[in-house]
Amino acid sequence: MIPGPYLLYLGHSADPIGIKTSRGLATFRPDDCVGEFRYDDCPLTLGLKRLTIAEGASAGSRTLVLGIANSGGTMGADLIADAVAALEAGMNVAAGLHQRLRDVPRLVALARERGLSLFDVRDPPADLMVGTGYPRAGRRLLTVGTDCSVGKMYATLALTTALRARGIAADFRATGQTGILIAGGGIPVDAVVADFISGAIEQLAPARADDGWDVIEGQGSLFHPSFAGVSTGLLHGAQAEAIVLCHEPGRAHMRGLPGRTLPELAECLAMNLQVARLTSPSVRAVGVCLNTSALDAVAARALCERTEDVLGLPCTDPIAFGVESIIDALYAPHA
Amino acid sequence: MIPGPYLLYLGHSADPIGIKTSRGLATFRPDDCVGEFRYDDCPLTLGLKRLTIAEGASAGSRTLVLGIANSGGTMGADLIADAVAALEAGMNVAAGLHQRLRDVPRLVALARERGLSLFDVRDPPADLMVGTGYPRAGRRLLTVGTDCSVGKMYATLALTTALRARGIAADFRATGQTGILIAGGGIPVDAVVADFISGAIEQLAPARADDGWDVIEGQGSLFHPSFAGVSTGLLHGAQAEAIVLCHEPGRAHMRGLPGRTLPELAECLAMNLQVARLTSPSVRAVGVCLNTSALDAVAARALCERTEDVLGLPCTDPIAFGVESIIDALYAPHA
């Protein structure tokens, strides 16, 4: 486990989506966050107290979380310099980039010298097996998306919480760095060796017999040319009986790919069901989650209603309106 | 480059598909193979002279190729012991398993001591980028399959050879350990980190402007629950204008998964075209390759003809009947 409380890193980030790991911790584990670290050129904030690295350490932070993501996941010189400063101030450092802290000799040497730890959250387990797709017991719900970073993790957490609120056993199964930091466990599926994608999910959400749910965080999109392989293996490994489609209205293009438009919701839903059927022949869609944070409440409600009419599924913004309608659909009689 | 000639390892293997790397080298680089090494309980042969490891070294072999594959790619104690024996006899050792030779300290120490090398063919490049799916110049053909190990590599090599025989520039792009050993280069796509599958193929088959072809070796199958993520990313990264479907008639179940039947050819073709369209909207199928080695020539011909009638595409066994009909289709006028 990564020692808290945390100082959350924003650095020079100007991309609201790029700071989603820091934001996720601030949102879902606020009591474990002492503040945020950002440079003057960073236009973003998590609404936490702005602290220097030294101030963060003085305020009791035990770990600097480099909670920023960039496509490709490399670590720049500035990020390394800030990690050095954190170690020198007596904090551990955690990161979820593809490039590992432990592969930076300077950080490794300094951490050892100070008796501190480096946490590479994106390290997959070493003992993964290839998936089989054989039917396994248990109830599983998977969130899927039109794109990366459209709110799949928020929806998955909200669905887990709502199930538990009804007295139903449910576990959030994290597949990305942010979810893993929030949950304290999981498998970073985009970092496993390609042959083991579905096997990793079979391991993350194994057979269960308590009639409870594994609520699995989706990744990427079948329509994202960079990451669809991950999404495909995730669908096959999840063997979900139910999927929930997540989407952010108004997004101009697929994440990181100017010029590539998002798929239509209906098309995206159909493709996800088609791919999922390989290992879960009776899979069904039970709802749609929209991230309407850019809309006012009236427009958001109207959009959810229109989407319900078009797709014939409950549609909600999990943050603004909750997910009760989707839980109802999950337990409603169906063909 | 891996120094030849090679001694090809069969060990205790009893699975004809499991020895496909050794068989591929024996078939496509016969002049570089001095013999085969197998135990008495191995019922298989490549038709090469059976040699002990010491005899292989005496016969001039410079590298023992552990050309066997198993699902999951781990290395047993027997395999390690035989690698030790090869090093002690003065040979380098090459392998293409997920588990690396260089991660076995005993082999690393011994190789260093003897001035020999260990070659992990399944090591992907360290500098991969995520794919973009942006249109790139050049002509690309990709083989796809109903299952793993149905003859995609053979078909890809045959198509490359046939294009060249017509004076058309063509390069075989290897994506698996056997192809890489045969070609002397390539990217083991099933061993890359999941986020980089399509990016690896964009790097393997970059833009080209000579009107020649990159003929890309496919992997796995969209219908294989273990590996479909790899196949999906490969389709997206390849951005192929043409695909060729490969199949082995009569196979009882998907490779490694007793009880899971193979998809219908038409269904498999349609799904591959659908997935491919994300990055190559005008992709088309140009042929079907069957591995008819289990049939007599008359039955094989008849099956190819029936398949042509059903699918409306040229169908052949690349080894038995060549691939001229597919090359014709590739250059025929089309809608």
Side-chain angles (χ1 to χ4, degrees), chain B residues 5-331:
Chain B
Y6 308 128
L7 177 63
L8 302 178
Y9 187 87
L10 301 182
H12 298 284
S13 301
D15 172 7
I17 296 179
I19 62 163
K20 70 178 182 176
T21 297
S22 287
R23 185 179 299 283
L25 280 170
T27 303
F28 291 100
R29 293 184 60 179
D31 297 345
D32 294 319
C33 304
V34 302
E36 64 188 41
F37 172 82
R38 57 186 163 85
Y39 287 101
D40 287 339
D41 65 353
C42 172
L44 307 171
T45 177
L46 305 171
L48 299 178
K49 192 184 281 188
R50 183 178 172 189
L51 301 175
T52 64
I53 285 176
E55 287 167 349
S58 301
S61 168
R62 296 184 60 201
T63 303
L64 175 69
V65 178
L66 298 174
I68 61 173
N70 52 343
S71 190
T74 55
M75 211 177 299
D78 53 337
L79 219 57
I80 293 171
D82 291 330
V84 165
L87 291 165
E88 286 178 342
M91 279 186 277
N92 306 292
V93 179
L97 301 165
H98 274 304
Q99 192 184 333
R100 303 299 197 278
L101 295 168
R102 67 169 147 71
D103 290 335
V104 182
R106 190 172 163 207
L107 296 179
V108 172
L110 189 57
R112 188 180 304 130
E113 189 185 309
R114 304 291 171 112
L116 296 166
S117 297
L118 304 174
F119 297 96
D120 285 305
V121 177
R122 222 166 185 167
D123 268 346
D127 59 345
L128 292 174
M129 310 276 282
V130 297
T132 68
Y134 286 135
R136 64 189 190 278
R139 312 197 71 173
R140 287 173 297 281
L141 181 153
L142 172 69
T143 51
V144 299
T146 53
D147 194 3
C148 306
S149 309
V150 291
K152 291 185 282 286
M153 188 195 75
Y154 279 66
T156 312
L157 285 162
L159 290 160
T160 309
T161 302
L163 282 164
R164 288 183 171 180
R166 293 196 189 188
I168 300 163
D171 293 290
F172 170 67
R173 300 299 185 196
T175 60
Q177 53 165 324
T178 310
I180 291 168
L181 278 162
I182 292 169
I187 295 180
V189 67
D190 60 1
V192 308
V193 165
D195 252 5
F196 299 100
I197 303 171
S198 65
I201 304 303
E202 293 183 0
Q203 178 169 324
L204 176 69
R208 67 187 287 172
D210 65 351
D211 216 37
W213 288 85
D214 280 353
V215 191
I216 305 169
E217 177 193 10
Q219 292 293 334
S221 164
L222 292 181
F223 290 82
H224 198 299
S226 313
F227 310 120
V230 173
S231 309
T232 298
L234 223 166
L235 273 162
H236 291 161
Q239 205 177 103
E241 74 172 77
I243 63 172
V244 170
L245 178 63
C246 302
H247 176 62
E248 183 183 326
R251 188 172 283 201
H253 58 78
M254 295 292 280
R255 171 91 176 134
L257 298 177
R260 178 169 286 274
T261 54
L262 273 72
E264 295 293 326
L265 290 180
E267 177 191 18
C268 186
L269 200 54
M271 185 71 175
N272 273 282
L273 289 169
Q274 186 182 350
V275 171
R277 278 187 202 107
L278 186 72
T279 59
S280 185
S282 59
V283 60
R284 63 195 179 100
V286 294
V288 179
C289 286
L290 301 181
N291 173 356
T292 65
S293 53
L295 306 178
D296 67 42
V298 173
R301 280 277 186 207
L303 181 62
C304 287
E305 282 167 19
R306 273 205 311 280
T307 307
E308 287 200 0
D309 289 345
V310 171
L311 297 177
L313 290 171
C315 176
T316 182
D317 179 323
I319 306 295
F321 311 128
V323 292
E324 292 306 314
S325 58
I326 296 178
I327 305 295
D328 289 342
L330 195 59
Y331 278 91

